[in-house]
C-alpha cells in the first residue's frame, strides 16, 4: 500500500470543472489513496465528494493552494498535481515514489503525453516541462531559464534525467515540502521562484520520460477566465519575486522577461495563443509591476478570497 496522498490545486471556474472530475476519476481507477483538492471555493465539488476526496480550503492563488495541500497531507509522500492532467496506464506513480523513497531524488516528476505540436507547452517548453537555470559569471544578476522547445526537444534524452524545473505532476516527501513552502505572495508564476530555490540549495529534481500524465487541455479560453484568473495577472505579484531575490535583477524565461530594475514585465505569448484580440495586444506590451505593499493591497486580484496573506 502506497503511503501517498494525491494533492490537486483546482482553479474553481465552471469551464474547468469537467477537467477536475475527469482527473479525479482517472486517479480513482487505479489508486485508492487519499485525495485532496485545494481551492478557494466554499465547498468540495460534487465529483470530488463522490470519489471520496477531501476539500482543502485555501486562499486565492497557486502558492496558497499548494501550501494548504502540504499542510493537510498526513502520509509520508505527496503527489502535487494541477487540475489539467489525466492519469493513464503510463502514469506509474510507483516509479516516481521509488526515486524519492530511496534517496535518488527529492522531487520526481512525470512527463506529458497527448500534447499537440502547436500547443503552448511545446511552443515554450517540452513534453516534460523540463528546464535548466543558467547564470553567467559575466552577468551574475541575470537568471535565464533554458527550456528546449518543440516535439523533438528531448529526443537525445531518455529514462530518468535531472533538471532544475519540472512540471507540477511530481512526488516528494510531505515533510520535505513543509520545510520548503511556496511563497504565498506569488499567486501565479510561483513555480519559477520555488524551483530556483531548489536548484540553489542543490536539491535533486528528476523527471522520468517513462511516466506520463495526459495533458487534458483544461485551459479555459472564456472571457470570464481570462478577465478574472490570477494566471494572467503576473504584474500584480512579481514584485515579490524581485524582493525575494534582490541580487537577481533580471529573469529571462521562455514566456516572459522580468526586469526588476525597470520594474517591468515583458510577455512573449504570440497573438495566436491568446483567446481574444484584446488580451493578445496586452501580452505584447511591457507592463509596469505593482511594486509596493499598498499596490498589492489595492488590487482586487491580490486580496479576493485570500485576506492579506498574499500582501504581507
Amino acid at each position: 500500500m502506497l503511503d501517498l496522498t494525491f494533492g490537486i490545486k483546482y482553479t474553481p471556474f465552471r469551464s474547468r470543472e469537467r477537467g477536475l472530475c475527469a482527473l479525479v476519476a482517472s486517479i480513482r481507477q487505479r489508486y485508492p489513496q487519499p485525495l485532496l483538492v485545494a481551492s478557494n471555493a466554499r465547498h468540495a465539488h460534487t465529483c470530488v465528494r463522490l470519489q471520496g476526496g477531501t476539500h482543502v480550503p485555501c486562499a486565492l492563488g497557486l502558492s496558497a493552494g499548494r501550501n494548504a495541500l502540504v499542510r493537510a497531507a498526513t502520509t509520508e509522500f505527496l503527489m502535487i498535481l494541477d487540475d489539467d492532467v489525466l492519469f493513464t496506464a503510463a502514469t506509474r506513480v510507483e516509479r516516481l515514489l521509488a526515486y524519492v523513497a530511496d534517496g535518488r531524488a527529492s522531487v520526481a516528476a512525470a512527463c506529458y503525453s497527448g500534447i499537440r505540436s502547436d500547443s503552448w507547452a511545446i511552443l515554450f517548453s517540452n513534453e516534460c516541462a523540463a528546464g535548466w537555470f543558467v547564470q553567467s559569471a559575466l552577468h551574475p544578476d541575470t537568471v535565464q531559464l533554458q527550456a528546449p522547445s518543440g516535439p523533438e526537444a528531448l529526443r537525445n534524452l531518455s529514462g530518468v534525467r535531472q533538471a532544475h524545473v519540472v512540471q507540477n505532476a511530481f512526488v516528494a516527501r510531505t515533510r520535505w515540502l513543509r520545510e520548503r513552502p511556496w511563497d504565498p505572495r506569488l499567486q501565479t508564476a510561483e513555480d519559477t521562484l520555488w524551483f530556483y530555490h531548489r536548484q540553489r540549495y542543490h536539491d535533486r529534481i528528476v523527471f522520468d520520460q517513462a511516466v506520463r500524465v495526459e495533458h487534458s487541455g483544461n485551459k479555459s479560453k472564456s472571457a470570464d477566465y481570462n478577465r478574472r484568473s490570477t494566471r494572467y495577472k503576473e504584474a500584480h505579484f512579481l514584485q515579490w519575486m524581485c524582493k525575494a531575490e534582490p541580487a537577481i535583477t533580471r529573469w529571462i524565461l521562455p514566456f516572459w522577461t522580468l526586469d526588476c530594475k525597470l520594474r517591468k514585465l515583458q510577455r512573449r505569448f504570440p497573438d495566436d495563443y491568446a483567446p481574444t484580440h484584446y488580451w493578445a495586444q496586452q501580452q505584447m506590451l511591457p507592463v509596469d509591476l505593482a511594486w509596493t505593499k499598498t499596490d498589492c493591497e489595492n488590487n482586487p486580484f491580490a486580496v479576493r478570497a485570500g485576506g492579506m496573506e498574499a500582501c504581507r
Side-chain angles (χ1 to χ4, degrees):
M1 194 72 171
L2 302 179
D3 191 15
L4 174 75
T5 295
F6 296 100
I8 304 167
K9 173 59 183 81
Y10 170 53
T11 305
F13 283 86
R14 184 173 297 276
S15 53
R16 299 180 73 90
E17 291 178 357
R18 182 179 298 180
L20 171 68
C21 294
L23 169 58
V24 171
S26 71
I27 293 173
R28 280 292 180 248
Q29 285 177 6
R30 303 180 60 214
Y31 296 102
Q33 278 74 19
L35 189 150
L36 306 175
V37 178
S39 79
N40 59 299
R42 293 183 178 180
H43 307 288
H45 194 279
T46 301
C47 70
V48 175
R49 294 198 303 270
L50 291 176
Q51 295 283 6
T54 301
H55 172 60
V56 179
C58 65
L60 191 69
L62 297 171
S63 291
R66 295 204 177 99
N67 290 337
L69 291 170
V70 173
R71 289 193 299 267
T74 58
T75 53
E76 183 176 359
F77 301 96
L78 175 65
M79 186 170 191
I80 294 289
L81 294 161
D82 286 338
D83 63 4
D84 60 354
V85 298
L86 295 172
F87 277 30
T88 69
T91 312
R92 292 176 283 179
V93 175
E94 295 85 351
R95 284 177 62 100
L96 303 181
L97 192 147
Y99 298 133
V100 178
D102 65 14
R104 284 179 287 168
S106 297
V107 168
C111 292
Y112 283 134
S113 63
I115 305 179
R116 301 192 320 269
S117 60
D118 61 346
S119 164
W120 64 273
I122 293 297
L123 187 62
F124 294 107
S125 188
N126 49 73
E127 60 186 6
C128 298
W132 291 261
F133 290 112
V134 176
Q135 286 177 269
S136 70
L138 198 60
H139 300 287
D141 62 337
T142 297
V143 172
Q144 182 172 2
L145 176 60
Q146 294 184 347
S149 61
E152 302 297 318
L154 302 180
R155 181 168 51 88
N156 295 323
L157 300 180
S158 61
V160 182
R161 293 286 177 165
Q162 189 169 359
H164 295 153
V165 175
V166 292
Q167 68 146 319
N168 290 306
F170 65 77
V171 171
R173 290 185 184 273
T174 305
R175 182 176 178 180
W176 183 87
L177 289 171
R178 286 197 183 113
E179 295 169 352
R180 296 159 178 82
W182 286 263
D183 190 327
R185 301 171 300 181
L186 283 169
Q187 293 190 25
T188 186
E190 80 304 330
D191 49 351
T192 299
L193 184 63
W194 191 82
F195 279 117
Y196 176 73
H197 287 160
R198 306 288 67 77
Q199 177 262 339
R200 195 175 70 179
Y201 291 107
H202 307 291
D203 294 322
R204 185 171 173 82
I205 313 292
V206 303
F207 62 94
D208 185 349
Q209 293 195 68
V211 182
R212 300 277 173 158
V213 291
E214 182 177 329
H215 186 254
S216 67
N218 187 22
K219 293 283 193 301
S220 169
K221 291 191 175 183
S222 68
D224 180 57
Y225 180 76
N226 296 326
R227 183 176 66 254
R228 295 173 55 205
S229 174
T230 59
R231 176 180 177 83
Y232 305 119
K233 313 297 180 185
E234 307 104 311
H236 291 289
F237 308 106
L238 288 180
Q239 62 164 313
W240 305 114
M241 193 161 161
C242 294
K243 292 174 180 177
E245 289 293 331
I248 307 301
T249 62
R250 201 156 181 252
W251 298 82
I252 303 174
L253 277 66
F255 30 90
W256 46 254
T257 294
L258 172 64
D259 193 315
C260 296
K261 280 186 176 179
L262 297 179
R263 300 180 183 178
K264 287 187 180 294
L265 170 70
Q266 175 69 61
R267 299 184 181 96
R268 296 182 180 178
F269 292 129
D271 289 357
D272 57 2
Y273 172 76
T276 65
H277 175 73
Y278 171 77
W279 188 67
Q281 293 300 106
Q282 296 304 304
Q283 291 292 331
M284 305 308 293
L285 298 174
V287 179
D288 291 330
L289 301 184
W291 192 256
T292 66
K293 182 176 180 180
T294 301
D295 291 333
C296 182
E297 292 172 348
N298 288 342
N299 88 75
F301 307 105
V303 299
R304 175 165 28 92
M308 297 312 300
E309 180 187 8
C311 294
R312 66 184 183 184

